[in-house]
Amino acid sequence: MRALPSAPVSSAVRAAPAPATGFQGLIDGRLVNLGWDQAAPGAVNHYEIHDDFWYPATSPDTKDRFYSLNSVRAPGHTGSFRWPYLPSENTWYVIVAVAADCTKLTLEQSPRIPSPVPAAD
């Protein structure tokens, strides 16, 4: 005996929030000030900010890689953050927008910047 087919069920794939724009950094003394353009209210629950080294793809068969050394969480309603760790000239920073349901892009898909330059006196 065969069962009757069930009614089609639709499922929605949750989309990650749009990446932060205008991501930039500036070294102020011995700390790094990071800034970005705020997302629309309610679009981002929080931001994950990571630092470490960026490894670009070396051939068409490889992918860009970023390994996170330090990670800090910043509120979704903010557009700036003072990085709590000392900067290094080879450190890159990545900002990941995270939705309330924890949907997010990968580190490689998110905006990144190289080590910021010192602020002008």
Side-chain angles (χ1 to χ4, degrees):
M1 176 177 209
R2 292 179 59 177
L4 295 173
S6 62
V9 176
S10 65
S11 64
V13 176
R14 294 184 282 186
T21 58
F23 189 41
Q24 59 188 345
L26 195 62
I27 294 178
D28 182 18
R30 295 182 51 108
L31 296 174
V32 176
N33 291 323
L34 300 169
W36 57 92
D37 299 327
Q38 287 182 279
V44 174
N45 178 270
H46 66 275
Y47 294 97
E48 292 176 356
I49 306 171
H50 302 263
D51 78 343
D52 204 352
F53 301 102
W54 179 254
Y55 300 97
T58 55
S59 73
D61 298 336
T62 61
K63 294 182 178 181
D64 294 340
R65 295 176 321 217
F66 181 86
Y67 295 108
S68 179
L69 176 64
N70 298 300
S71 176
V72 177
R73 188 172 166 161
H77 63 274
T78 189
S80 65
F81 187 80
R82 179 163 243 180
W83 189 248
Y85 303 102
L86 294 175
S88 166
E89 64 184 50
N90 296 324
T91 299
W92 285 69
Y93 298 88
V94 174
I95 185 166
V96 180
V98 183
D101 65 2
C102 295
T103 306
K104 61 185 178 181
L105 297 175
T106 66
L107 291 170
E108 290 79 13
Q109 295 171 319
S110 299
R112 63 186 171 273
I113 56 171
S115 185
V117 296
D121 289 331

